Amino acid sequence: MSNQELVVLGRSDEADACCPGLLTAPLDEDQAVELAKVFKALGDPVRLRLLSMIASRAGGEVCVCDLTPAFDLSQPTISHHLKLLRQAGLIDCERRGTWVYYWLVPEMTDRLAGILTRPAGEPLPGRAAATGAAS
């Protein structure tokens, strides 16, 4: 995934135009492809745990040296999972000497939340009539 793809999906002021909420308008093919890449990155238990460990870390960042021991996986495998999360735009990192430090990209998780959230109390389109008819 190129950096341009990540900018289009989650790091642009035009993100609302790119990926409206699912209830606002149907996703077009390009939007669905871009979102699928992010959801694919989240579709692995190890990556979900890594993302959770990074996001919940006090201070907002964590060294890879603190992530690796939590898993029964090799360091290269952990690095691969972190790379996929980075390519999806969910985390970012910085090398400091020997170690790499990771942090959450909140704009991306906020964007995903916005896409999946409907306004509280509002029924799904067409559901109110269907529910009333069934009563």
Side-chain angles (χ1 to χ4, degrees), residues 32 65 73-74 97 123:
C65 63
L73 298 169
S74 68

Side-chain angles (χ1 to χ4, degrees), residues 50-67 91-96 99-105:
L50 284 166
L51 185 67
S52 175
M53 290 172 70
I54 293 166
S56 64
R57 183 66 165 218
E61 63 182 29
V62 62
C63 178
V64 69
C65 63
D66 294 324
L67 295 171
I91 61 172
D92 207 350
C93 67
E94 175 182 77
R95 178 172 293 281
R96 298 180 195 154
W99 301 109
V100 178
Y101 289 79
Y102 292 88
W103 58 87
L104 181 73
V105 176

Side-chain angles (χ1 to χ4, degrees), residues 6-133:
L6 295 176
V7 169
V8 169
L9 181 57
R11 295 187 182 166
S12 168
D13 291 335
E14 300 170 358
D16 290 335
C18 166
C19 303
L22 293 175
L23 297 180
T24 306
L27 296 173
D28 67 28
E29 186 175 345
D30 291 339
Q31 292 165 340
V33 167
E34 292 305 315
L35 282 172
K37 291 176 185 178
V38 177
F39 287 119
K40 184 174 180 180
L42 291 172
D44 181 275
V46 171
R47 290 193 288 273
L48 277 176
R49 284 187 59 209
L50 284 166
L51 185 67
S52 175
M53 290 172 70
I54 293 166
S56 64
R57 183 66 165 218
E61 63 182 29
V62 62
C63 178
V64 69
C65 63
D66 294 324
L67 295 171
T68 305
F71 298 89
D72 191 23
L73 298 169
S74 68
Q75 183 276 325
T77 300
I78 295 299
S79 291
H80 173 73
H81 285 296
L82 290 166
K83 175 184 164 187
L84 294 176
L85 289 170
R86 256 186 50 243
Q87 288 176 334
L90 293 161
I91 61 172
D92 207 350
C93 67
E94 175 182 77
R95 178 172 293 281
R96 298 180 195 154
T98 305
W99 301 109
V100 178
Y101 289 79
Y102 292 88
W103 58 87
L104 181 73
V105 176
E107 298 85 2
M108 179 59 81
T109 54
D110 291 349
R111 184 72 197 122
L112 291 175
I115 290 167
L116 295 174
T117 303
R118 67 180 180 87
E122 287 189 23
L124 293 173
R127 283 295 278 171
T131 304

